[in-house]
Amino acid sequence: MRRRDFLATAAAATGAGTALSGCAGDGGDDSGPLDYLSLAWQQESIEANKALVAQWNRHNPTSRVRYVQGSWESVHDQLLTSFEGGEAPDIIHDEANDLTDFAHGGFLADLSGLLPAQLKEQIPQSSWDTASFAGGTYGVPFVQEPRVLIANRELLEKSGVRMPTTRRPWSWAEFEEAAKELTHGRTHGVAWSMKDPVNQSVNLTLTTGGAVFHRENGKNVIRFESADSEVIELIHRQVNEDRTAARSSLGMAGADTLPGFFAGRYAILPLNFSFRQQVQQQAPDGFEWVTLPMPAGDGAAGGGQHQGVSPQTLSISQSTSRKKAAMAFVAFLTRPDHMARLAKGDWLVPTGTEALRDPALSTDKHGWSTGLRMASDLRASPVLGVRGYPEWKDKVATPAFQEYYAGGISLRTLRDKLVDDGNRILARYQR
């Protein structure tokens, strides 16, 4: 979910490299503060987190919390080391996609019996599903981000194509036609940034009724049928046949496409919702942009507007002796007003129904209202809870998708790689 393509630089700028070094031994020390590992990286978000920690400490002097700055770039390896060394932080900010192996390894507490009723009720079940597997709940999903289209308003208006809305998005066929209308001269209709192609490719299959990962006889299996491949085939077609998508963007991370976008070389960028912050900061004077919903599939659930997400989560270490105190702090951080504040700081969408009603988030400015209206269509990414997914993603899916999008292999070869090699990997984790 997060923008790992540029977070290393941001982490260095905020001093995030200290990460977990301050956590040693405190998880089991009843007399010391609870350690809260935060992965906030934007300055506004860091300030909001620190302010909430300070507010908590003023009112809870016997259950103080220590803020520990972490880094998205290295959090998985650092957490693994800290878990195995018995030095894990008490409260852990991470994302749902990272919880599966830690939960199965016994490192995270099952929150099912700890969640206050008010907290449980304010977050929809579709969001709880993102952090629930193997019979337990291992994180509180508090902010999330849909995939959106960020478009050059002037180019769209000059082309005469219909401006889509959340109530009437483009179909995928309309999107394909719009990209053709927007392609001329040095301008491509769309730039798909596919340096990390797997999550976005899988999550968008929900718009056409696909999933790639399916449950059969109580086990996870990979299938790649027409509903699973429809959007993936469209992207391939735009790059290799229609030439409406820029081939050069396939090796780019999302942030890498912004200079070309501002220069008029790309009319539309499919990006995560939080990229609006970079667009707003970096856009040249007078550049007009608009946030649009992703296209919808035909005949799929939710009118084809469902898409998979992996929210950011707050978890509690299994090793901490103060789980109730840790949960009290998590409940404090995720109060509706606090959840909305944290979402605004990171340009994300809160999961809580009351937080979504915050007036500052419902404005049309910078596309906030588009993201909020899409919140009800977000579902657990098909990859969540799948043991072996990281290995499949790194060893099989990433190179296979990159080859396919670049025109190097056929759809049949892509299917064989994803399914045959993938199911062998998943089988090892499910014996």
Side-chain angles (χ1 to χ4, degrees), residues 29-30 111 118 156 183 192-193 207 234 237 273 280 297 309 316 318 335 362 368 384 428:
D29 181 1
D30 288 340
L111 307 182
Q118 188 174 10
L156 256 66
T183 299
W192 290 96
S193 48
T207 66
L234 181 148
R237 191 163 56 245
F273 191 57
Q280 186 271 333
V309 292
I316 296 173
Q318 178 63 28
R335 276 174 30 182
S362 60
W368 277 106
L384 297 180
R428 292 205 316 272

Side-chain angles (χ1 to χ4, degrees), residues 41-336:
W41 67 276
Q42 300 203 69
Q43 192 58 41
E44 185 180 352
S45 181
I46 292 172
E47 291 172 357
N49 273 273
K50 288 184 175 180
L52 289 173
V53 169
Q55 181 180 336
W56 169 269
N57 288 338
R58 284 195 299 271
H59 296 284
N60 298 273
T62 61
S63 184
R64 294 177 63 82
V65 169
R66 176 166 55 196
Y67 181 92
V68 180
Q69 183 65 64
S71 164
W72 285 103
E73 187 71 13
S74 56
V75 65
H76 180 88
D77 291 342
Q78 289 178 319
L79 279 173
L80 184 60
T81 299
S82 70
F83 284 137
E84 293 178 342
E87 300 178 344
D90 304 275
I91 301 148
I92 299 164
H93 176 193
D94 203 349
E95 68 169 296
N97 195 30
D98 205 27
L99 303 184
T100 304
D101 288 341
F102 291 148
H104 280 281
F107 299 125
L108 299 178
D110 179 2
L111 307 182
S112 302
L114 295 169
L115 291 168
Q118 188 174 10
L119 172 56
K120 192 170 183 179
E121 290 168 3
Q122 73 153 310
I123 297 176
Q125 187 59 47
S126 58
S127 291
W128 285 117
D129 289 344
T130 64
S132 301
F133 42 85
T137 299
Y138 295 94
V140 175
F142 69 109
V143 289
Q144 58 191 341
E145 60 179 327
R147 198 79 171 168
V148 294
L149 302 177
I150 296 180
N152 182 317
R153 182 188 290 274
E154 181 182 1
L155 292 180
L156 256 66
E157 291 177 348
K158 283 184 177 180
S159 73
V161 301
R162 178 179 70 84
M163 191 77 73
T165 65
T166 51
R167 292 187 177 180
R168 193 182 167 213
W170 282 329
S171 67
W172 280 109
E174 285 181 292
F175 169 72
E176 200 165 5
E177 289 304 311
K180 292 177 182 177
E181 292 294 326
L182 290 161
T183 299
H184 54 83
R186 69 188 189 101
T187 300
H188 284 90
V190 61
W192 290 96
S193 48
M194 288 294 177
K195 183 177 181 179
D196 187 4
V198 183
N199 286 341
Q200 59 178 305
S201 299
V202 173
N203 288 336
L204 289 177
T205 66
L206 269 64
T207 66
T208 55
V212 180
F213 289 87
H214 304 267
R215 294 286 290 179
E216 291 182 1
N217 301 319
K219 292 188 176 183
N220 294 307
V221 298
I222 297 170
R223 297 202 304 264
F224 198 64
E225 298 166 354
S226 58
D228 303 296
S229 67
E230 187 173 334
V231 175
I232 291 162
E233 290 181 69
L234 181 148
I235 296 170
H236 176 275
R237 191 163 56 245
Q238 287 187 316
V239 173
N240 297 283
E241 297 176 22
D242 301 340
R243 306 296 174 91
T244 56
R247 179 178 296 275
S248 59
S249 72
L250 293 178
M252 294 182 183
D256 300 331
T257 61
L258 295 184
F261 179 60
F262 298 140
R265 294 198 298 273
Y266 320 129
I268 298 173
L269 301 179
L271 293 171
N272 284 348
F273 191 57
S274 60
F275 270 97
R276 297 168 304 119
Q277 190 254 12
Q278 288 189 81
V279 175
Q280 186 271 333
Q281 286 187 339
Q282 299 175 21
D285 291 343
F287 184 88
E288 294 189 23
W289 56 280
V290 61
T291 304
L292 307 173
M294 288 298 293
D298 295 325
Q305 291 181 267
H306 287 171
Q307 58 173 280
V309 292
S310 176
Q312 291 182 34
T313 55
L314 294 167
S315 299
I316 296 173
S317 172
Q318 178 63 28
S319 65
T320 184
S321 60
R322 293 178 288 169
K323 293 181 177 64
K324 289 184 179 179
M327 176 52 73
F329 176 70
V330 169
F332 170 79
L333 274 186
T334 52
R335 276 174 30 182

